[in-house]
Amino acid sequence: EAGVAQSPRYKIIEKRQSVAFWCNPISGHATLYWYQQILGQGPKLLIQFQNNGVVDDSQLPKDRFSAERLKGVDSTLKIQPAKLEDSAVYLCASSLGVALETQYFGPGTRLLVL
Amino acid sequence: AQKVTQAQTEISVVEKEDVTLDCVYETRDTTYYLFWYKQPPSGELVFLIRRNSFDEQNEISGRYSWNFQKSTSSFNFTITASQVVDSAVYFCALSGPYNTDKLIFGTGTRLQVFP
């Protein structure tokens, strides 16, 4: 079974530029999560989708971050404009979503904002 | 509020030593779930175990074992006869009982196993 796919794996941009990350969850997984992991910290949930609806985006900085999951499969996370403090690893995870299910993580996108 | 504390920032051991990673949690939920994830240098979080609050039996999987003690709100992880491939950051995490509950991670413990 294929795991969670993410691209790109690495991205370097200058502050005030825009960037987008893509995630393809495990086939059949209804729930998709985006996490931000700052160096030396545990992952922090940014947004959770159930199919193509948002379940929780309370920790998403909505003035600059946006995410969508059209058709309830792939998802994109966008930052516009980026700030220095956005430098982090952005992890995507998915779960079956029927009940509380284990989340499976992708390899992450490492973002460096200069 | 829910919280997970991993007091050990970094642990270094020599191969074949046993090592225990501590995890202490706080929650007001009576039903909750605890997890351990491994994050090797490649960056991907690898699921190791999930335990619900009603199951206090210790679990063993090969060289890995977990000790869940509700009385002390701890869910410790022991690696027996550590190997270099065990070198990684290990995260303990906590969630409430519902699918909409957030997964709350600790700050992680970096384990370095030297040959």
Side-chain angles (χ1 to χ4, degrees), chain A residues 9 31 35 37 42-43 48 50 55-56 58-59 97 99-103 105, chain B residues 33 37 39 42 44-45 47 50 91 95-100 102-103 105-107:
Chain A
R9 291 296 312 277
T31 308
Y35 288 85
Q37 185 179 17
Q48 176 182 348
Q50 179 78 14
V55 172
D56 184 349
S58 57
Q59 299 188 106
L100 178 68
E101 298 286 349
T102 297
Q103 296 180 29
F105 286 79
Chain B
Y33 292 83
Y37 283 87
Q39 189 173 43
S42 60
E44 184 170 341
L45 277 162
F47 166 74
R50 176 178 109 167
F91 289 95
S95 174
Y98 304 108
N99 190 47
T100 52
K102 290 187 186 61
L103 192 59
F105 285 86
T107 50

PDB file of all heavy atoms in Angstrom, chain A residues 9 31 35 37 42-43 48 50 55-56 58-59 97 99-103 105, chain B residues 33 37 39 42 44-45 47 50 91 95-100 102-103 105-107:
ATOM      1  N   ARG A   9       9.935  18.139  -1.697  1.00  0.00           N
ATOM      2  CA  ARG A   9      10.544  17.730  -0.435  1.00  0.00           C
ATOM      3  C   ARG A   9      11.265  18.898   0.220  1.00  0.00           C
ATOM      4  O   ARG A   9      11.348  18.973   1.442  1.00  0.00           O
ATOM      5  CB  ARG A   9      11.541  16.600  -0.677  1.00  0.00           C
ATOM      6  CG  ARG A   9      10.899  15.283  -1.081  1.00  0.00           C
ATOM      7  CD  ARG A   9       9.999  14.716   0.027  1.00  0.00           C
ATOM      8  NE  ARG A   9      10.638  14.706   1.340  1.00  0.00           N
ATOM      9  CZ  ARG A   9      11.452  13.760   1.769  1.00  0.00           C
ATOM     10  NH1 ARG A   9      11.734  12.726   1.006  1.00  0.00           N
ATOM     11  NH2 ARG A   9      11.993  13.832   2.972  1.00  0.00           N
ATOM     12  N   THR A  31      -9.782  11.356   6.095  1.00  0.00           N
ATOM     13  CA  THR A  31      -9.311  12.503   6.886  1.00  0.00           C
ATOM     14  C   THR A  31      -7.885  12.856   6.510  1.00  0.00           C
ATOM     15  O   THR A  31      -7.028  11.972   6.389  1.00  0.00           O
ATOM     16  CB  THR A  31      -9.402  12.195   8.391  1.00  0.00           C
ATOM     17  OG1 THR A  31     -10.730  11.748   8.692  1.00  0.00           O
ATOM     18  CG2 THR A  31      -9.115  13.444   9.202  1.00  0.00           C
ATOM     19  N   TYR A  35       0.305  19.580   9.248  1.00  0.00           N
ATOM     20  CA  TYR A  35       1.004  19.960  10.468  1.00  0.00           C
ATOM     21  C   TYR A  35       2.190  20.856  10.119  1.00  0.00           C
ATOM     22  O   TYR A  35       2.808  20.717   9.065  1.00  0.00           O
ATOM     23  CB  TYR A  35       1.552  18.737  11.203  1.00  0.00           C
ATOM     24  CG  TYR A  35       0.530  17.872  11.890  1.00  0.00           C
ATOM     25  CD1 TYR A  35      -0.151  16.874  11.194  1.00  0.00           C
ATOM     26  CD2 TYR A  35       0.258  18.033  13.246  1.00  0.00           C
ATOM     27  CE1 TYR A  35      -1.075  16.070  11.834  1.00  0.00           C
ATOM     28  CE2 TYR A  35      -0.661  17.226  13.894  1.00  0.00           C
ATOM     29  CZ  TYR A  35      -1.327  16.258  13.184  1.00  0.00           C
ATOM     30  OH  TYR A  35      -2.238  15.451  13.828  1.00  0.00           O
ATOM     31  N   GLN A  37       5.923  21.687  11.717  1.00  0.00           N
ATOM     32  CA  GLN A  37       6.894  21.256  12.722  1.00  0.00           C
ATOM     33  C   GLN A  37       8.098  22.180  12.661  1.00  0.00           C
ATOM     34  O   GLN A  37       8.926  22.089  11.747  1.00  0.00           O
ATOM     35  CB  GLN A  37       7.316  19.806  12.507  1.00  0.00           C
ATOM     36  CG  GLN A  37       8.231  19.297  13.607  1.00  0.00           C
ATOM     37  CD  GLN A  37       8.645  17.845  13.434  1.00  0.00           C
ATOM     38  OE1 GLN A  37       8.520  17.264  12.366  1.00  0.00           O
ATOM     39  NE2 GLN A  37       9.130  17.240  14.499  1.00  0.00           N
ATOM     40  N   GLY A  42       7.549  19.466  18.530  1.00  0.00           N
ATOM     41  CA  GLY A  42       6.652  18.469  17.966  1.00  0.00           C
ATOM     42  C   GLY A  42       5.758  19.108  16.928  1.00  0.00           C
ATOM     43  O   GLY A  42       5.603  20.327  16.872  1.00  0.00           O
ATOM     44  N   PRO A  43       5.160  18.285  16.074  1.00  0.00           N
ATOM     45  CA  PRO A  43       4.255  18.823  15.059  1.00  0.00           C
ATOM     46  C   PRO A  43       3.047  19.519  15.686  1.00  0.00           C
ATOM     47  O   PRO A  43       2.544  19.091  16.722  1.00  0.00           O
ATOM     48  CB  PRO A  43       3.805  17.562  14.292  1.00  0.00           C
ATOM     49  CG  PRO A  43       4.865  16.551  14.564  1.00  0.00           C
ATOM     50  CD  PRO A  43       5.343  16.832  15.947  1.00  0.00           C
ATOM     51  N   GLN A  48      -7.410  20.323   9.587  1.00  0.00           N
ATOM     52  CA  GLN A  48      -7.886  18.955   9.419  1.00  0.00           C
ATOM     53  C   GLN A  48      -9.089  18.975   8.493  1.00  0.00           C
ATOM     54  O   GLN A  48     -10.030  19.741   8.693  1.00  0.00           O
ATOM     55  CB  GLN A  48      -8.267  18.348  10.775  1.00  0.00           C
ATOM     56  CG  GLN A  48      -8.854  16.950  10.677  1.00  0.00           C
ATOM     57  CD  GLN A  48      -9.270  16.394  12.033  1.00  0.00           C
ATOM     58  OE1 GLN A  48      -8.927  16.937  13.070  1.00  0.00           O
ATOM     59  NE2 GLN A  48     -10.016  15.298  12.011  1.00  0.00           N
ATOM     60  N   GLN A  50     -12.128  16.538   6.691  1.00  0.00           N
ATOM     61  CA  GLN A  50     -12.861  15.287   6.614  1.00  0.00           C
ATOM     62  C   GLN A  50     -13.506  15.305   5.232  1.00  0.00           C
ATOM     63  O   GLN A  50     -14.384  16.122   4.960  1.00  0.00           O
ATOM     64  CB  GLN A  50     -13.929  15.206   7.714  1.00  0.00           C
ATOM     65  CG  GLN A  50     -14.754  13.932   7.694  1.00  0.00           C
ATOM     66  CD  GLN A  50     -14.026  12.749   8.298  1.00  0.00           C
ATOM     67  OE1 GLN A  50     -13.006  12.915   8.976  1.00  0.00           O
ATOM     68  NE2 GLN A  50     -14.520  11.553   8.072  1.00  0.00           N
ATOM     69  N   VAL A  55     -12.620  20.409   9.263  1.00  0.00           N
ATOM     70  CA  VAL A  55     -13.057  20.019  10.603  1.00  0.00           C
ATOM     71  C   VAL A  55     -12.498  20.972  11.645  1.00  0.00           C
ATOM     72  O   VAL A  55     -13.179  21.374  12.581  1.00  0.00           O
ATOM     73  CB  VAL A  55     -12.623  18.577  10.919  1.00  0.00           C
ATOM     74  CG1 VAL A  55     -12.905  18.223  12.372  1.00  0.00           C
ATOM     75  CG2 VAL A  55     -13.307  17.599   9.979  1.00  0.00           C
ATOM     76  N   ASP A  56     -11.228  21.339  11.470  1.00  0.00           N
ATOM     77  CA  ASP A  56     -10.555  22.190  12.456  1.00  0.00           C
ATOM     78  C   ASP A  56      -9.481  22.987  11.750  1.00  0.00           C
ATOM     79  O   ASP A  56      -8.577  22.409  11.162  1.00  0.00           O
ATOM     80  CB  ASP A  56      -9.945  21.313  13.560  1.00  0.00           C
ATOM     81  CG  ASP A  56      -9.313  22.117  14.686  1.00  0.00           C
ATOM     82  OD1 ASP A  56      -9.143  23.351  14.550  1.00  0.00           O
ATOM     83  OD2 ASP A  56      -8.988  21.511  15.720  1.00  0.00           O
ATOM     84  N   SER A  58      -8.425  25.933  13.546  1.00  0.00           N
ATOM     85  CA  SER A  58      -8.278  26.945  14.590  1.00  0.00           C
ATOM     86  C   SER A  58      -6.843  27.443  14.743  1.00  0.00           C
ATOM     87  O   SER A  58      -6.612  28.531  15.251  1.00  0.00           O
ATOM     88  CB  SER A  58      -8.781  26.391  15.927  1.00  0.00           C
ATOM     89  OG  SER A  58      -8.087  25.206  16.267  1.00  0.00           O
ATOM     90  N   GLN A  59      -5.867  26.626  14.344  1.00  0.00           N
ATOM     91  CA  GLN A  59      -4.476  27.032  14.494  1.00  0.00           C
ATOM     92  C   GLN A  59      -3.826  27.430  13.170  1.00  0.00           C
ATOM     93  O   GLN A  59      -2.610  27.547  13.077  1.00  0.00           O
ATOM     94  CB  GLN A  59      -3.675  25.916  15.179  1.00  0.00           C
ATOM     95  CG  GLN A  59      -4.202  25.602  16.581  1.00  0.00           C
ATOM     96  CD  GLN A  59      -3.328  24.638  17.358  1.00  0.00           C
ATOM     97  OE1 GLN A  59      -2.626  25.033  18.276  1.00  0.00           O
ATOM     98  NE2 GLN A  59      -3.376  23.372  16.985  1.00  0.00           N
ATOM     99  N   GLY A  97     -10.579   7.818   9.180  1.00  0.00           N
ATOM    100  CA  GLY A  97     -11.546   8.856   9.499  1.00  0.00           C
ATOM    101  C   GLY A  97     -12.901   8.363   9.919  1.00  0.00           C
ATOM    102  O   GLY A  97     -13.804   9.155  10.150  1.00  0.00           O
ATOM    103  N   ALA A  99     -13.564   6.501  12.694  1.00  0.00           N
ATOM    104  CA  ALA A  99     -13.580   6.796  14.129  1.00  0.00           C
ATOM    105  C   ALA A  99     -12.213   7.376  14.419  1.00  0.00           C
ATOM    106  O   ALA A  99     -11.545   7.857  13.524  1.00  0.00           O
ATOM    107  CB  ALA A  99     -13.833   5.519  14.916  1.00  0.00           C
ATOM    108  N   LEU A 100     -11.767   7.326  15.652  1.00  0.00           N
ATOM    109  CA  LEU A 100     -10.409   7.800  15.907  1.00  0.00           C
ATOM    110  C   LEU A 100      -9.436   6.777  15.352  1.00  0.00           C
ATOM    111  O   LEU A 100      -9.320   5.682  15.875  1.00  0.00           O
ATOM    112  CB  LEU A 100     -10.154   7.988  17.398  1.00  0.00           C
ATOM    113  CG  LEU A 100      -8.725   8.446  17.689  1.00  0.00           C
ATOM    114  CD1 LEU A 100      -8.521   9.862  17.180  1.00  0.00           C
ATOM    115  CD2 LEU A 100      -8.435   8.378  19.164  1.00  0.00           C
ATOM    116  N   GLU A 101      -8.795   7.128  14.279  1.00  0.00           N
ATOM    117  CA  GLU A 101      -7.887   6.204  13.626  1.00  0.00           C
ATOM    118  C   GLU A 101      -6.465   6.741  13.686  1.00  0.00           C
ATOM    119  O   GLU A 101      -6.248   7.931  13.788  1.00  0.00           O
ATOM    120  CB  GLU A 101      -8.287   6.020  12.152  1.00  0.00           C
ATOM    121  CG  GLU A 101      -9.665   5.421  11.964  1.00  0.00           C
ATOM    122  CD  GLU A 101      -9.714   3.943  12.271  1.00  0.00           C
ATOM    123  OE1 GLU A 101      -8.631   3.334  12.425  1.00  0.00           O
ATOM    124  OE2 GLU A 101     -10.828   3.401  12.370  1.00  0.00           O
ATOM    125  N   THR A 102      -5.532   5.838  13.580  1.00  0.00           N
ATOM    126  CA  THR A 102      -4.131   6.231  13.586  1.00  0.00           C
ATOM    127  C   THR A 102      -3.829   7.089  12.369  1.00  0.00           C
ATOM    128  O   THR A 102      -4.305   6.809  11.260  1.00  0.00           O
ATOM    129  CB  THR A 102      -3.252   4.975  13.582  1.00  0.00           C
ATOM    130  OG1 THR A 102      -3.510   4.250  14.788  1.00  0.00           O
ATOM    131  CG2 THR A 102      -1.781   5.343  13.500  1.00  0.00           C
ATOM    132  N   GLN A 103      -3.052   8.127  12.580  1.00  0.00           N
ATOM    133  CA  GLN A 103      -2.629   8.996  11.491  1.00  0.00           C
ATOM    134  C   GLN A 103      -1.306   8.493  10.922  1.00  0.00           C
ATOM    135  O   GLN A 103      -0.387   8.152  11.666  1.00  0.00           O
ATOM    136  CB  GLN A 103      -2.441  10.429  12.000  1.00  0.00           C
ATOM    137  CG  GLN A 103      -3.740  11.055  12.495  1.00  0.00           C
ATOM    138  CD  GLN A 103      -3.541  12.460  12.989  1.00  0.00           C
ATOM    139  OE1 GLN A 103      -2.652  13.183  12.524  1.00  0.00           O
ATOM    140  NE2 GLN A 103      -4.363  12.894  13.933  1.00  0.00           N
ATOM    141  N   PHE A 105       1.840   9.512   8.367  1.00  0.00           N
ATOM    142  CA  PHE A 105       2.463  10.740   7.922  1.00  0.00           C
ATOM    143  C   PHE A 105       3.262  10.559   6.636  1.00  0.00           C
ATOM    144  O   PHE A 105       3.841   9.496   6.382  1.00  0.00           O
ATOM    145  CB  PHE A 105       3.402  11.269   9.009  1.00  0.00           C
ATOM    146  CG  PHE A 105       2.680  11.880  10.167  1.00  0.00           C
ATOM    147  CD1 PHE A 105       2.106  11.083  11.145  1.00  0.00           C
ATOM    148  CD2 PHE A 105       2.566  13.262  10.279  1.00  0.00           C
ATOM    149  CE1 PHE A 105       1.428  11.652  12.220  1.00  0.00           C
ATOM    150  CE2 PHE A 105       1.902  13.833  11.344  1.00  0.00           C
ATOM    151  CZ  PHE A 105       1.332  13.031  12.317  1.00  0.00           C
TER     152      PHE A 105
ATOM    153  N   TYR B  33      -6.379   8.529  23.953  1.00  0.00           N
ATOM    154  CA  TYR B  33      -5.462   7.632  23.264  1.00  0.00           C
ATOM    155  C   TYR B  33      -4.049   8.184  23.350  1.00  0.00           C
ATOM    156  O   TYR B  33      -3.843   9.396  23.274  1.00  0.00           O
ATOM    157  CB  TYR B  33      -5.867   7.475  21.787  1.00  0.00           C
ATOM    158  CG  TYR B  33      -7.164   6.736  21.613  1.00  0.00           C
ATOM    159  CD1 TYR B  33      -8.383   7.386  21.722  1.00  0.00           C
ATOM    160  CD2 TYR B  33      -7.167   5.363  21.360  1.00  0.00           C
ATOM    161  CE1 TYR B  33      -9.577   6.698  21.583  1.00  0.00           C
ATOM    162  CE2 TYR B  33      -8.362   4.674  21.212  1.00  0.00           C
ATOM    163  CZ  TYR B  33      -9.555   5.353  21.327  1.00  0.00           C
ATOM    164  OH  TYR B  33     -10.729   4.670  21.193  1.00  0.00           O
ATOM    165  N   TYR B  37       5.486   7.883  18.107  1.00  0.00           N
ATOM    166  CA  TYR B  37       5.947   7.956  16.729  1.00  0.00           C
ATOM    167  C   TYR B  37       7.466   8.082  16.720  1.00  0.00           C
ATOM    168  O   TYR B  37       8.061   8.692  17.615  1.00  0.00           O
ATOM    169  CB  TYR B  37       5.356   9.176  16.012  1.00  0.00           C
ATOM    170  CG  TYR B  37       3.921   9.037  15.567  1.00  0.00           C
ATOM    171  CD1 TYR B  37       2.876   9.353  16.435  1.00  0.00           C
ATOM    172  CD2 TYR B  37       3.607   8.619  14.280  1.00  0.00           C
ATOM    173  CE1 TYR B  37       1.554   9.251  16.024  1.00  0.00           C
ATOM    174  CE2 TYR B  37       2.287   8.507  13.856  1.00  0.00           C
ATOM    175  CZ  TYR B  37       1.273   8.829  14.737  1.00  0.00           C
ATOM    176  OH  TYR B  37      -0.038   8.724  14.324  1.00  0.00           O
ATOM    177  N   GLN B  39      10.692   9.481  14.392  1.00  0.00           N
ATOM    178  CA  GLN B  39      11.030  10.354  13.266  1.00  0.00           C
ATOM    179  C   GLN B  39      12.516  10.213  12.964  1.00  0.00           C
ATOM    180  O   GLN B  39      13.366  10.833  13.592  1.00  0.00           O
ATOM    181  CB  GLN B  39      10.686  11.811  13.569  1.00  0.00           C
ATOM    182  CG  GLN B  39      10.812  12.725  12.350  1.00  0.00           C
ATOM    183  CD  GLN B  39      10.296  14.125  12.623  1.00  0.00           C
ATOM    184  OE1 GLN B  39      10.554  14.704  13.676  1.00  0.00           O
ATOM    185  NE2 GLN B  39       9.560  14.696  11.658  1.00  0.00           N
ATOM    186  N   SER B  42      15.222  11.035   7.916  1.00  0.00           N
ATOM    187  CA  SER B  42      14.497  11.290   6.665  1.00  0.00           C
ATOM    188  C   SER B  42      13.291  12.200   6.878  1.00  0.00           C
ATOM    189  O   SER B  42      12.790  12.797   5.922  1.00  0.00           O
ATOM    190  CB  SER B  42      14.034   9.966   6.052  1.00  0.00           C
ATOM    191  OG  SER B  42      13.175   9.288   6.959  1.00  0.00           O
ATOM    192  N   GLU B  44      10.128  11.537   8.042  1.00  0.00           N
ATOM    193  CA  GLU B  44       8.777  10.984   8.100  1.00  0.00           C
ATOM    194  C   GLU B  44       8.468  10.456   9.500  1.00  0.00           C
ATOM    195  O   GLU B  44       9.288   9.800  10.113  1.00  0.00           O
ATOM    196  CB  GLU B  44       8.680   9.847   7.088  1.00  0.00           C
ATOM    197  CG  GLU B  44       7.324   9.228   6.938  1.00  0.00           C
ATOM    198  CD  GLU B  44       7.287   8.276   5.751  1.00  0.00           C
ATOM    199  OE1 GLU B  44       8.162   8.383   4.876  1.00  0.00           O
ATOM    200  OE2 GLU B  44       6.389   7.435   5.711  1.00  0.00           O
ATOM    201  N   LEU B  45       7.312  10.749  10.000  1.00  0.00           N
ATOM    202  CA  LEU B  45       6.887  10.220  11.299  1.00  0.00           C
ATOM    203  C   LEU B  45       6.349   8.807  11.104  1.00  0.00           C
ATOM    204  O   LEU B  45       5.405   8.589  10.346  1.00  0.00           O
ATOM    205  CB  LEU B  45       5.800  11.099  11.897  1.00  0.00           C
ATOM    206  CG  LEU B  45       6.282  12.341  12.634  1.00  0.00           C
ATOM    207  CD1 LEU B  45       5.165  13.342  12.789  1.00  0.00           C
ATOM    208  CD2 LEU B  45       6.814  11.952  14.006  1.00  0.00           C
ATOM    209  N   PHE B  47       4.568   5.556  12.682  1.00  0.00           N
ATOM    210  CA  PHE B  47       3.707   5.129  13.777  1.00  0.00           C
ATOM    211  C   PHE B  47       4.298   3.890  14.449  1.00  0.00           C
ATOM    212  O   PHE B  47       4.696   2.934  13.778  1.00  0.00           O
ATOM    213  CB  PHE B  47       2.316   4.822  13.221  1.00  0.00           C
ATOM    214  CG  PHE B  47       1.420   4.070  14.151  1.00  0.00           C
ATOM    215  CD1 PHE B  47       0.849   4.702  15.235  1.00  0.00           C
ATOM    216  CD2 PHE B  47       1.148   2.720  13.954  1.00  0.00           C
ATOM    217  CE1 PHE B  47       0.016   4.007  16.099  1.00  0.00           C
ATOM    218  CE2 PHE B  47       0.321   2.021  14.808  1.00  0.00           C
ATOM    219  CZ  PHE B  47      -0.243   2.662  15.885  1.00  0.00           C
ATOM    220  N   ARG B  50      -0.381   2.602  19.389  1.00  0.00           N
ATOM    221  CA  ARG B  50      -1.526   3.355  19.886  1.00  0.00           C
ATOM    222  C   ARG B  50      -2.108   2.579  21.056  1.00  0.00           C
ATOM    223  O   ARG B  50      -2.243   1.359  20.990  1.00  0.00           O
ATOM    224  CB  ARG B  50      -2.579   3.496  18.800  1.00  0.00           C
ATOM    225  CG  ARG B  50      -3.843   4.187  19.257  1.00  0.00           C
ATOM    226  CD  ARG B  50      -4.817   4.331  18.119  1.00  0.00           C
ATOM    227  NE  ARG B  50      -5.952   3.446  18.278  1.00  0.00           N
ATOM    228  CZ  ARG B  50      -7.052   3.556  17.550  1.00  0.00           C
ATOM    229  NH1 ARG B  50      -7.130   4.475  16.611  1.00  0.00           N
ATOM    230  NH2 ARG B  50      -8.048   2.731  17.740  1.00  0.00           N
ATOM    231  N   PHE B  91       8.545  10.756  19.415  1.00  0.00           N
ATOM    232  CA  PHE B  91       7.484  11.629  19.916  1.00  0.00           C
ATOM    233  C   PHE B  91       6.389  10.816  20.579  1.00  0.00           C
ATOM    234  O   PHE B  91       5.919   9.813  20.030  1.00  0.00           O
ATOM    235  CB  PHE B  91       6.858  12.435  18.775  1.00  0.00           C
ATOM    236  CG  PHE B  91       7.744  13.502  18.215  1.00  0.00           C
ATOM    237  CD1 PHE B  91       8.522  13.255  17.097  1.00  0.00           C
ATOM    238  CD2 PHE B  91       7.812  14.747  18.813  1.00  0.00           C
ATOM    239  CE1 PHE B  91       9.344  14.235  16.579  1.00  0.00           C
ATOM    240  CE2 PHE B  91       8.627  15.741  18.298  1.00  0.00           C
ATOM    241  CZ  PHE B  91       9.401  15.477  17.179  1.00  0.00           C
ATOM    242  N   SER B  95      -4.405  12.062  22.295  1.00  0.00           N
ATOM    243  CA  SER B  95      -5.613  12.529  21.619  1.00  0.00           C
ATOM    244  C   SER B  95      -6.824  12.193  22.451  1.00  0.00           C
ATOM    245  O   SER B  95      -6.822  11.217  23.209  1.00  0.00           O
ATOM    246  CB  SER B  95      -5.731  11.855  20.259  1.00  0.00           C
ATOM    247  OG  SER B  95      -6.953  12.192  19.639  1.00  0.00           O
ATOM    248  N   GLY B  96      -7.887  13.009  22.308  1.00  0.00           N
ATOM    249  CA  GLY B  96      -9.163  12.687  22.920  1.00  0.00           C
ATOM    250  C   GLY B  96      -9.826  11.548  22.157  1.00  0.00           C
ATOM    251  O   GLY B  96      -9.257  11.003  21.218  1.00  0.00           O
ATOM    252  N   PRO B  97     -11.058  11.216  22.516  1.00  0.00           N
ATOM    253  CA  PRO B  97     -11.693  10.028  21.957  1.00  0.00           C
ATOM    254  C   PRO B  97     -12.329  10.204  20.594  1.00  0.00           C
ATOM    255  O   PRO B  97     -12.713   9.216  19.968  1.00  0.00           O
ATOM    256  CB  PRO B  97     -12.773   9.698  22.997  1.00  0.00           C
ATOM    257  CG  PRO B  97     -13.123  11.020  23.593  1.00  0.00           C
ATOM    258  CD  PRO B  97     -11.852  11.821  23.593  1.00  0.00           C
ATOM    259  N   TYR B  98     -12.443  11.430  20.123  1.00  0.00           N
ATOM    260  CA  TYR B  98     -13.180  11.649  18.891  1.00  0.00           C
ATOM    261  C   TYR B  98     -12.252  11.918  17.713  1.00  0.00           C
ATOM    262  O   TYR B  98     -11.157  12.437  17.877  1.00  0.00           O
ATOM    263  CB  TYR B  98     -14.153  12.818  19.055  1.00  0.00           C
ATOM    264  CG  TYR B  98     -15.089  12.616  20.219  1.00  0.00           C
ATOM    265  CD1 TYR B  98     -14.954  13.352  21.386  1.00  0.00           C
ATOM    266  CD2 TYR B  98     -16.091  11.647  20.158  1.00  0.00           C
ATOM    267  CE1 TYR B  98     -15.795  13.155  22.468  1.00  0.00           C
ATOM    268  CE2 TYR B  98     -16.928  11.437  21.236  1.00  0.00           C
ATOM    269  CZ  TYR B  98     -16.786  12.190  22.383  1.00  0.00           C
ATOM    270  OH  TYR B  98     -17.619  11.978  23.447  1.00  0.00           O
ATOM    271  N   ASN B  99     -12.753  11.602  16.532  1.00  0.00           N
ATOM    272  CA  ASN B  99     -11.949  11.802  15.332  1.00  0.00           C
ATOM    273  C   ASN B  99     -11.625  13.264  15.098  1.00  0.00           C
ATOM    274  O   ASN B  99     -10.655  13.592  14.433  1.00  0.00           O
ATOM    275  CB  ASN B  99     -12.693  11.222  14.127  1.00  0.00           C
ATOM    276  CG  ASN B  99     -11.821  11.179  12.899  1.00  0.00           C
ATOM    277  OD1 ASN B  99     -10.689  10.745  12.968  1.00  0.00           O
ATOM    278  ND2 ASN B  99     -12.344  11.642  11.790  1.00  0.00           N
ATOM    279  N   THR B 100     -12.427  14.140  15.681  1.00  0.00           N
ATOM    280  CA  THR B 100     -12.172  15.570  15.508  1.00  0.00           C
ATOM    281  C   THR B 100     -11.182  16.118  16.533  1.00  0.00           C
ATOM    282  O   THR B 100     -10.829  17.291  16.481  1.00  0.00           O
ATOM    283  CB  THR B 100     -13.502  16.346  15.645  1.00  0.00           C
ATOM    284  OG1 THR B 100     -14.136  15.937  16.873  1.00  0.00           O
ATOM    285  CG2 THR B 100     -14.427  16.042  14.482  1.00  0.00           C
ATOM    286  N   LYS B 102      -7.682  16.897  18.358  1.00  0.00           N
ATOM    287  CA  LYS B 102      -6.317  17.105  17.878  1.00  0.00           C
ATOM    288  C   LYS B 102      -5.386  16.057  18.473  1.00  0.00           C
ATOM    289  O   LYS B 102      -5.581  15.580  19.585  1.00  0.00           O
ATOM    290  CB  LYS B 102      -5.809  18.478  18.309  1.00  0.00           C
ATOM    291  CG  LYS B 102      -6.430  19.669  17.633  1.00  0.00           C
ATOM    292  CD  LYS B 102      -5.681  20.921  18.067  1.00  0.00           C
ATOM    293  CE  LYS B 102      -6.339  22.182  17.553  1.00  0.00           C
ATOM    294  NZ  LYS B 102      -7.702  22.381  18.017  1.00  0.00           N
ATOM    295  N   LEU B 103      -4.340  15.754  17.726  1.00  0.00           N
ATOM    296  CA  LEU B 103      -3.243  14.934  18.226  1.00  0.00           C
ATOM    297  C   LEU B 103      -2.217  15.908  18.804  1.00  0.00           C
ATOM    298  O   LEU B 103      -1.660  16.728  18.082  1.00  0.00           O
ATOM    299  CB  LEU B 103      -2.657  14.110  17.084  1.00  0.00           C
ATOM    300  CG  LEU B 103      -1.700  12.984  17.420  1.00  0.00           C
ATOM    301  CD1 LEU B 103      -2.358  11.969  18.335  1.00  0.00           C
ATOM    302  CD2 LEU B 103      -1.243  12.300  16.133  1.00  0.00           C
ATOM    303  N   PHE B 105       1.295  16.600  20.449  1.00  0.00           N
ATOM    304  CA  PHE B 105       2.612  15.987  20.517  1.00  0.00           C
ATOM    305  C   PHE B 105       3.446  16.594  21.639  1.00  0.00           C
ATOM    306  O   PHE B 105       3.318  17.779  21.955  1.00  0.00           O
ATOM    307  CB  PHE B 105       3.373  16.203  19.206  1.00  0.00           C
ATOM    308  CG  PHE B 105       2.900  15.341  18.075  1.00  0.00           C
ATOM    309  CD1 PHE B 105       1.842  15.742  17.275  1.00  0.00           C
ATOM    310  CD2 PHE B 105       3.524  14.135  17.794  1.00  0.00           C
ATOM    311  CE1 PHE B 105       1.402  14.949  16.224  1.00  0.00           C
ATOM    312  CE2 PHE B 105       3.096  13.344  16.742  1.00  0.00           C
ATOM    313  CZ  PHE B 105       2.040  13.751  15.963  1.00  0.00           C
ATOM    314  N   GLY B 106       4.333  15.775  22.195  1.00  0.00           N
ATOM    315  CA  GLY B 106       5.380  16.290  23.054  1.00  0.00           C
ATOM    316  C   GLY B 106       6.482  16.906  22.196  1.00  0.00           C
ATOM    317  O   GLY B 106       6.392  16.922  20.958  1.00  0.00           O
ATOM    318  N   THR B 107       7.511  17.387  22.837  1.00  0.00           N
ATOM    319  CA  THR B 107       8.601  18.047  22.111  1.00  0.00           C
ATOM    320  C   THR B 107       9.625  17.062  21.562  1.00  0.00           C
ATOM    321  O   THR B 107      10.544  17.455  20.862  1.00  0.00           O
ATOM    322  CB  THR B 107       9.314  19.066  23.005  1.00  0.00           C
ATOM    323  OG1 THR B 107       9.657  18.430  24.241  1.00  0.00           O
ATOM    324  CG2 THR B 107       8.416  20.264  23.291  1.00  0.00           C
TER     325      THR B 107
END
